[in-house]
Amino acid sequence: MDTTSFAIAIMAAGKGTRLRSKRPKVLHEIGGRPLLLHVIAAAKAFLPAERIVCVIGHEAERVKAAVESTGVQFALQTEQRGTGHAMQQVRSFYEAGGQAAPENLLVLSGDVPLIRPETIEAICAAHLHERAAMTVLTAVPDDPTGYGRILRRSPELPEVMAIVEQKSLDAEQMEVREINSGIYCFRTEALFRKLDGLGTDNAHGEFYLTDVAAMLVADGERVVAVQAENVDEVLGANTIAEMMHLDAAMRMSTVRKLMARGVTIFRPETCVIDPTVEVGPDTVLEPFVQLLGSTTIGSNCRIRSYSVIESSSIADEVTVRNGCVLDGAVVAAGAVLGPYAHLRPDSVIGERSRVGNFCETKNVRVGPDSKVNHLTYLGDAMVGAGVNIGAGTITCNYDGVRKHQTSIGDGCFIGSNSILVAPLSIGEGAYVAAASCITEDVPDGALAVGRSRQVTKAGWAAAKRAKENTGTGS
Ligand code: UD1
Ligand code: CA
């Protein structure tokens, strides 16, 4: 559709008193990102960021910092005196002259986060088609409690007479199940003209944007309702419980999308998967898996229960056994991780390599076909191909001030319980004897033994016992 006559205002200045939280409401997260970023993303699918103005107020700097990178404009509402008052700040924003006021203004609420671009487009199209001064997006949820209600001229007609807030409903109006979503389209001139007539003589002592509906009707203007196809999409987030309901709805839609693309997800309701995550077909996710941020997973992988994978890239045919934690890792095809492996940022694991039980890696390159199977810490290290790192090996990468590198050449065998004190280089094909403390470079093909020689005293135990027996006199 032709969007040139539109701009968007997003109301996001409120405190969110009902949350009982120090964090501003619009920065609470669902589906892995703040409410307001969901709304901005939907708005940006309709209009460029320069034509979107966000009303901020409560903790304005914090909110601004969180969403600034989207490129939207800001209007400040220093005191939060209601949604009508928020729109007065939008009017001031345009009066300040940076931008001309648009002919039509789409108004979104920062706490109605599941709104889809398709619905935004539908309400704007209906607004133009109906030649309305105000178009309200409505819905009919199972439980309308807490929402403003839509009073229609008659049930079959789109014309709205008024919007009545929950606390002002009379007995008859309580029966109305059609709710105001907090999303509207206005002819800007009609809206701005009415804002000064708003009063605060109501249950909250606030300027209600919703009162504009009846005021426009009194002027003989046309106010219409458009019902959203999908109720979930217009649900508000005013309490933590409501947010978690929306979070679950959002994550269910993500797992359904992945399943439709050939991913098997056992007990999908237990998995926490961000909408940004991609997973290839024939991959199996077991219950209680979390896939977060920019994570991508190839095909034919198996991700076993209780693994939490964030901002990591996993190629095809990888097995992540139970309880692994990955953050910023890159894992090549055919690798096997865990159980209980911890791959910290910049861990790059080569093809068919293994990082097993209780191993931790950080800033590490492990070449193909290498094994790091048990109880190991590798930090700031380059490990070649076909290397075997014995159980309990530790790179001592930190001297208390600086980090140092360890390099382990192709085909090395590092014996169990070795301590590798960086900076250190171990040449290709070298061996390190078990329980060594290695502080000097080891050339290609050498054996390094860094431990004291074993002393064995024949018959010592029997002699000790004999002595003890005489000693106690028993
Ligand atoms: C509002 C509507 C109600 C509707 C519901 C839908 C009013 C009076 N009521 O109620 O009819 O059913 O949304 O979710 O509008 N905000 C500001 N500045 C303020 C106050 C609020 O920017 O001074 C912002 C909030 O941050 C929030 C949005 O406006 O994002 C809605 O405010 P909220 O207080 O949550 O309104 P509701 O009581 O939910
Ligand atoms: Ca709300």
Side-chain angles (χ1 to χ4, degrees):
M1 73 177 280
D2 179 10
T3 60
T4 46
S5 72
F6 284 89
I8 297 179
I10 304 176
M11 299 183 290
K15 180 164 187 266
T17 313
R18 286 162 280 185
L19 287 176
R20 303 184 201 292
S21 157
K22 288 216 177 78
R23 201 189 319 175
K25 173 161 66 176
V26 294
L27 295 190
H28 275 258
E29 291 185 4
I30 65 164
R33 61 179 177 172
L35 299 180
L36 183 53
L37 280 182
H38 289 281
V39 179
I40 292 176
K44 280 177 75 172
F46 187 67
L47 284 183
E50 319 74 85
R51 276 158 62 200
I52 301 170
V53 54
C54 225
V55 185
I56 55 174
H58 177 70
E59 295 244 35
E61 284 311 308
R62 197 169 160 192
V63 175
K64 189 175 179 182
V67 304
E68 214 166 15
S69 63
T70 60
V72 298
Q73 309 284 311
F74 296 97
L76 189 63
Q77 185 190 20
T78 325
E79 266 184 290
Q80 293 81 55
R81 302 183 62 196
T83 47
H85 185 248
M87 296 315 296
Q88 289 174 4
Q89 315 315 309
V90 173
R91 186 178 60 185
S92 304
F93 169 86
Y94 289 113
E95 281 169 359
Q99 280 185 20
E103 195 180 324
N104 295 293
L105 188 64
L106 171 76
V107 176
L108 302 175
S109 287
D111 65 346
V112 182
L114 299 191
I115 185 70
R116 290 178 309 139
E118 294 87 331
T119 307
I120 290 179
E121 182 158 348
I123 179 182
C124 291
H127 177 72
L128 295 181
H129 179 77
E130 295 279 351
R131 298 177 183 282
M134 174 179 186
T135 305
V136 190
L137 183 67
T138 71
V140 184
D142 294 337
D143 179 8
T145 312
Y147 291 93
R149 306 302 155 76
I150 303 296
L151 305 187
R152 292 199 185 216
R153 187 182 297 276
S154 92
E156 323 76 56
L157 295 176
E159 282 91 353
V160 171
M161 304 296 294
I163 303 173
V164 184
E165 291 306 297
Q166 170 80 31
K167 286 201 174 157
S168 310
L169 296 171
D170 65 27
E172 195 184 328
Q173 292 164 347
M174 288 281 189
E175 301 299 313
V176 175
R177 288 187 43 231
E178 184 173 26
I179 60 126
N180 167 26
S181 69
I183 292 171
Y184 323 84
C185 247
F186 289 97
R187 211 169 66 231
T188 315
E189 155 281 314
L191 166 67
F192 285 179
R193 180 157 47 83
K194 287 289 136 197
L195 289 175
D196 290 326
L198 291 174
T200 57
D201 183 15
N202 54 51
H204 294 102
E206 290 186 344
F207 296 101
Y208 289 168
L209 176 57
T210 45
D211 287 349
V212 167
M215 290 161 70
L216 287 170
V217 171
D219 274 5
E221 296 275 10
R222 192 167 160 71
V223 178
V224 300
V226 171
Q227 255 184 35
E229 280 174 25
N230 168 356
V231 176
D232 277 344
E233 171 177 8
V234 300
L235 295 181
N238 298 299
T239 62
I240 304 265
E242 282 174 1
M243 283 185 195
M244 296 306 99
H245 179 73
L246 299 186
D247 181 76
M250 188 158 208
R251 295 196 186 280
M252 271 321 282
S253 86
T254 302
V255 293
R256 272 197 217 103
K257 181 188 77 188
L258 292 174
M259 291 191 288
R261 292 179 188 167
V263 182
T264 297
I265 308 180
F266 288 104
R267 303 290 303 275
E269 73 282 8
T270 66
C271 293
V272 178
I273 303 180
D274 285 348
T276 40
V277 167
E278 285 173 28
V279 185
D282 293 314
T283 282
V284 176
L285 307 181
E286 294 188 0
F288 297 101
V289 160
Q290 295 195 28
L291 305 178
L292 309 172
S294 58
T295 294
T296 61
I297 295 183
S299 43
N300 271 315
C301 293
R302 187 171 192 102
I303 313 296
R304 306 212 55 192
S305 293
Y306 311 115
S307 289
V308 179
I309 303 178
E310 183 158 6
S311 304
S312 295
S313 157
I314 293 182
D316 298 340
E317 317 261 347
V318 169
T319 302
V320 178
R321 293 187 177 135
N322 302 49
C324 290
V325 177
L326 277 67
D327 182 8
V330 177
V331 182
V336 180
L337 307 179
Y340 309 109
H342 185 188
L343 274 58
R344 293 167 50 204
D346 298 314
S347 294
V348 180
I349 310 302
E351 289 177 9
R352 297 171 302 278
S353 281
R354 287 162 179 261
V355 178
N357 312 251
F358 304 104
C359 290
E360 176 182 348
T361 64
K362 187 220 71 176
N363 188 26
V364 157
R365 305 274 172 286
V366 175
D369 302 302
S370 288
K371 290 179 185 156
V372 187
N373 269 338
H374 328 269
L375 302 160
T376 287
Y377 172 63
L378 295 178
D380 304 305
M382 300 281 288
V383 177
V387 171
N388 194 321
I389 305 276
T393 297
I394 305 244
T395 53
C396 302
N397 57 328
Y398 187 48
D399 62 11
V401 182
R402 270 176 299 158
K403 301 285 173 66
H404 302 281
Q405 288 285 328
T406 300
S407 139
I408 300 173
D410 293 345
C412 278
F413 182 97
I414 310 295
S416 293
N417 209 27
S418 291
I419 308 267
L420 308 177
V421 181
L424 184 68
S425 165
I426 299 176
E428 278 182 24
Y431 277 65
V432 167
S436 289
C437 177
I438 302 296
T439 55
E440 288 163 18
D441 288 355
V442 180
D444 291 355
L447 165 69
V449 187
R451 63 178 191 227
S452 55
R453 197 171 274 282
Q454 180 174 331
V455 178
T456 308
K457 299 184 177 176
W460 183 88
K464 175 177 185 281
R465 284 188 207 106
K467 197 168 149 196
E468 279 166 358
N469 290 344
T470 21
T472 60
S474 58

